[in-house]
Amino acid sequence: MGVKQALKSLDAFPRAEEHLLQKTQSGAFVSVVGLVIMATLFLHELTYYLSSYTVHQQMSVDLKRGETLPIHINMTFPALPCDVLSVDAIDMSGKHELDLDTNIWKLRLNSHGHIIGTEYLSDLVEKEHHKHDDGKEHHDKENHLHGAFDTAAEELIKKVKQALDDGEGCRVYGVLDVQRVAGNFHISVHGLNIFVAQMIFGGSKNVNVSHMIHDLSFGPKYPGIHNPLDGTERILHDTSGIFKYYIKVVPTEYRYISKQVLPTNQFSVTEYYSPMKPYDRSWPGVYFLYDLSPITVTIKEERRKFLHFITRLCAVLGGTFALTGMLDRWMFRFVEALTKPSARSVLR
């Protein structure tokens, strides 16, 4: 008996007899409100525990070699027809390479932005830049003049001029697989013969390279990634120039809670615009100059600990229970204070 009495003395929750308990309407109202609040908070904490993750970031030296870098492009040029646009890629060695594992589509758009045709760029040819002396340059110009006004060129000029009059635009999208070295890719009218381009536009200052970047990424997307160029719009009016986006690519590994690893890249960007000047011999375009960081960022998902969930749950439910108990006592005393004077006046 002594042991049982000792154990009973440790009871922190003594029970009162039923006939000593007083139940009130205010207490019932507070109890119902408290139960609703506790049930809501319990569901919120359970959902938070099951669906949210703690993300850790670690940095290490990038050890990847001999891999390709995927570049996802989705852009719209509202003022240039698809026939004049070309996509080029150049690596850090200065070699102008177009013979890549490339899948690029061009969608013809009308003046309202609706698709009216599709082109697929698959027959890409490798080119190189060469320097010429004055005499050879003059000889090349004569050869270009001879080939620029043939039947095909005249048909192209007529077709593009009609497209410009109709307000045609072009949407360029697809994937460029380039070598994992610094370089650039650009979208411009450089694929045209210079004399054909001169006949179409009447000068570089009339080439409107207004563009909208719907999506530009260097690999698959992971939860929470933010590509800074997505949604960028650069619209020109009565002017033209060269847009340059200097991009720093950061190799990234995203490790899901299922242990699956997603290799991708994130990037930062700086923008520069150079307006065309009178007698400028260059042609407008949109350039993306990228370089790779030597550091790899590893992002890891982790589910919240069960003990953390229990701790938060006890804090929320216990706090709600204590608060409703205090509210019930305050309401009981308030109602009692209002009813006691009236009861005394009846007795008198």
Side-chain angles (χ1 to χ4, degrees):
M1 293 297 293
V3 176
K4 291 184 178 181
Q5 291 295 332
L7 289 176
K8 287 183 179 180
S9 65
L10 297 178
D11 186 5
F13 307 99
R15 305 293 190 274
E17 295 185 11
E18 188 69 24
H19 69 278
L20 297 177
L21 299 177
Q22 182 179 0
K23 296 184 179 181
T24 61
Q25 292 182 352
S26 61
F29 175 76
V30 172
S31 298
V32 172
V33 172
L35 287 175
V36 172
I37 293 175
M38 285 190 286
T40 304
L41 293 177
F42 171 77
L43 293 176
H44 177 269
E45 288 296 326
L46 182 62
T47 305
Y48 184 65
Y49 166 71
L50 294 177
S51 62
S52 63
Y53 303 92
T54 302
V55 180
H56 297 283
Q57 293 191 2
Q58 299 175 344
M59 291 185 292
S60 60
V61 177
D62 184 19
L63 301 178
K64 296 185 181 70
R65 292 185 299 176
E67 299 183 6
T68 58
L69 179 67
I71 305 175
H72 299 261
I73 307 171
N74 189 353
M75 299 178 60
T76 295
F77 291 81
L80 289 177
C82 290
D83 291 314
V84 302
L85 288 176
S86 65
V87 182
D88 303 339
I90 306 175
D91 63 20
M92 65 181 302
S93 66
K95 196 173 184 180
H96 191 174
E97 292 184 309
L98 295 180
D99 191 12
L100 304 171
D101 183 16
T102 304
N103 295 297
I104 297 293
W105 292 83
K106 294 195 297 185
L107 302 179
R108 293 175 56 205
L109 307 176
N110 60 18
S111 58
H112 301 289
H114 299 148
I115 298 173
I116 57 176
T118 305
E119 294 182 13
Y120 177 60
L121 305 183
S122 58
D123 300 326
L124 301 179
V125 182
E126 181 176 320
K127 299 179 181 179
E128 294 185 1
H129 294 292
H130 298 280
K131 294 183 179 179
H132 305 277
D133 54 24
D134 294 338
K136 191 172 182 180
E137 185 176 357
H138 179 71
H139 179 69
D140 289 340
K141 285 184 178 180
E142 291 181 350
N143 291 336
H144 282 306
L145 283 171
H146 181 269
F149 297 99
D150 58 8
T151 304
E154 290 178 357
E155 291 180 355
L156 176 62
I157 293 172
K158 183 178 179 181
K159 179 181 178 182
V160 173
K161 284 188 174 181
Q162 183 62 45
L164 289 172
D165 293 338
D166 295 339
E168 276 194 27
C170 186
R171 185 166 187 173
V172 181
Y173 74 97
V175 180
L176 284 171
D177 286 318
V178 299
Q179 296 298 319
R180 200 178 180 84
V181 294
N184 80 76
F185 66 94
H186 51 274
I187 304 175
S188 62
V189 298
H190 293 165
L192 292 176
N193 181 293
I194 188 167
F195 297 102
V196 173
Q198 188 70 29
M199 289 293 296
I200 293 174
F201 296 103
S204 60
K205 66 180 183 302
N206 299 320
V207 181
N208 190 339
V209 290
S210 298
H211 58 279
M212 294 170 283
I213 304 176
H214 308 291
D215 176 47
L216 180 68
S217 57
F218 292 81
K221 296 183 178 181
Y222 60 84
I225 189 173
H226 172 67
N227 294 321
L229 286 178
D230 290 0
T232 299
E233 293 188 9
R234 297 294 180 266
I235 306 299
L236 300 177
H237 300 282
D238 301 325
T239 185
S240 189
I242 298 176
F243 289 91
K244 291 185 178 180
Y245 298 96
Y246 296 90
I247 297 173
K248 193 70 172 182
V249 180
V250 181
T252 303
E253 286 186 352
Y254 192 87
R255 299 180 180 271
Y256 290 93
I257 196 169
S258 60
K259 307 302 181 182
Q260 180 184 359
V261 179
L262 177 67
T264 183
N265 301 276
Q266 51 186 326
F267 66 93
S268 61
V269 62
T270 302
E271 178 183 352
Y272 175 74
Y273 172 69
S274 175
M276 299 302 298
K277 300 177 181 178
Y279 309 108
D280 200 335
R281 302 183 64 180
S282 61
W283 286 81
V286 181
Y287 289 75
F288 299 89
L289 301 94
Y290 58 88
D291 192 9
L292 281 85
S293 169
I295 301 298
T296 296
V297 175
T298 301
I299 303 175
K300 185 179 180 181
E301 288 184 345
E302 288 186 359
R303 193 182 299 277
R304 293 184 179 276
K305 305 298 183 183
F306 181 71
L307 289 179
H308 188 198
F309 166 68
I310 294 297
T311 302
R312 289 175 59 95
L313 192 62
C314 291
V316 169
L317 298 183
T320 304
F321 184 80
L323 183 60
T324 53
M326 293 172 57
L327 183 60
D328 175 55
R329 287 193 295 270
W330 291 340
M331 290 184 65
F332 177 76
R333 292 176 181 176
F334 178 74
V335 173
E336 188 180 40
L338 292 178
T339 57
K340 275 187 177 182
S342 60
R344 291 176 181 175
S345 62
V346 170
L347 291 176
R348 290 179 181 177

